[in-house]
Amino acid sequence: EIVLTQSTGTLSLSPGERATLSCRASQSVSSDYLAWYQQKPGQAPRLLIYGAFTRATGIPDRFSGSGSGTDFTLTISRLEPEDFAVYYCHQYGSSPWTFGQGTKVEIK
Amino acid sequence: QVQLVESGGGLVKPGGSLRLSCAASGFTFSDFHMSWIRQAPGKGLEWLSYISSSGSTIYYADSLKGRFTISRDNAKNSLYLQMNSLRVEDTAIYYCVGRLRYWGQGTLVTVSS
């Protein structure tokens, strides 16, 4: 099983700042099948990025994904008030699929 | 528009069974691989199972130890999760997910005596 580690539990940032979230895999993620989700309280998660760097439909370009192999990053270039939420990475390249434990981006 | 609506959740005693359903609309269900993902109260996301568009390929999380069974009926645009031998730790919101991007609002399963 591929274990995904999101090393930062909570990021405290101000609106307008840049957010950099990391996700490290215990082994290489097949075909870079790595996704990022955003979840707000009381809501279902929303897909932001798939295939490590492809934005899902309707996702603003301030969200970008990068990385390959075992190290992946989600970057939010300038935080908007609506971006404060929990973010999860997810590998779907090999079974069993797995999620990281999440990173909360909170207002400083 | 794309809609996934889960049903079948509720309160069940430890050792009991439930069958969750997910009704899909607004897209060609038979073209989509589907998954079940759950979230325990205040916790993170846990992937449970995957089924390919035709139903020929199925994967499960190791932690389920054969207690859960995923299935689909493309003629009825529906996805299912049969859950047996339920445990207190199975208490969670269960989400039906299409191709990673389409999520239902979830159905709450509570396992308690």
Side-chain angles (χ1 to χ4, degrees):
Chain A
E1 171 175 321
I2 296 178
V3 176
L4 298 180
T5 301
Q6 296 182 247
S7 55
T8 305
T10 303
L11 269 178
S12 298
L13 296 167
S14 300
E17 288 194 294
R18 181 184 188 90
T20 303
L21 287 69
S22 69
C23 176
R24 176 162 288 178
S26 59
Q27 54 189 282
S28 185
V29 175
S30 175
S31 303
D32 293 335
Y33 283 164
L34 193 287
W36 289 93
Y37 292 91
Q38 176 194 68
Q39 187 178 32
K40 297 179 181 178
Q43 296 184 16
R46 177 173 71 144
L47 178 68
L48 300 175
I49 301 287
Y50 63 94
F53 57 82
T54 303
R55 270 189 303 276
T57 303
I59 301 304
D61 60 8
R62 65 181 181 271
F63 291 92
S64 63
S66 62
S68 66
T70 60
D71 287 288
F72 299 88
T73 300
L74 174 70
T75 301
I76 311 171
S77 58
R78 286 177 56 86
L79 283 164
E80 297 288 340
E82 63 267 28
D83 299 336
F84 292 91
V86 179
Y87 293 83
Y88 296 93
C89 59
H90 169 50
Q91 72 81 21
Y92 54 100
S94 59
S95 179
W97 295 3
T98 49
F99 283 91
Q101 75 273 33
T103 292
K104 182 179 182 180
V105 178
E106 66 174 21
I107 300 176
K108 187 174 182 181
Chain B
Q1 75 280 17
V2 171
Q3 197 168 16
L4 295 169
V5 179
E6 301 92 339
S7 60
L11 176 63
V12 62
K13 288 182 167 49
S17 297
L18 277 178
R19 188 193 196 208
L20 305 184
S21 299
C22 172
S25 60
F27 65 102
T28 305
F29 180 71
S30 58
D31 286 348
F32 277 48
H33 66 72
M34 302 294 295
S35 298
W36 286 99
I37 290 167
R38 72 183 178 186
Q39 187 168 35
K43 303 296 185 183
L45 301 172
E46 181 184 12
W47 173 80
L48 299 176
S49 186
Y50 159 98
I51 186 167
S52 62
S53 55
S54 66
S56 60
T57 301
I58 287 174
Y59 303 132
Y60 293 103
D62 295 342
S63 60
L64 296 183
K65 296 189 186 338
R67 297 184 297 123
F68 292 8
T69 303
I70 193 172
S71 62
R72 66 189 296 160
D73 186 335
N74 285 345
K76 293 184 178 180
N77 291 339
S78 292
L79 176 72
Y80 305 101
L81 185 67
Q82 177 67 42
M83 305 187 297
N84 298 328
S85 303
L86 283 162
R87 305 168 180 169
V88 170
E89 55 266 34
D90 294 318
T91 295
I93 296 173
Y94 286 71
Y95 294 104
C96 159
V97 182
R99 264 195 201 170
L100 304 183
R101 66 198 64 208
Y102 301 124
W103 291 62
Q105 281 308 298
T107 187
L108 177 63
V109 172
T110 302
V111 184
S112 174
S113 54

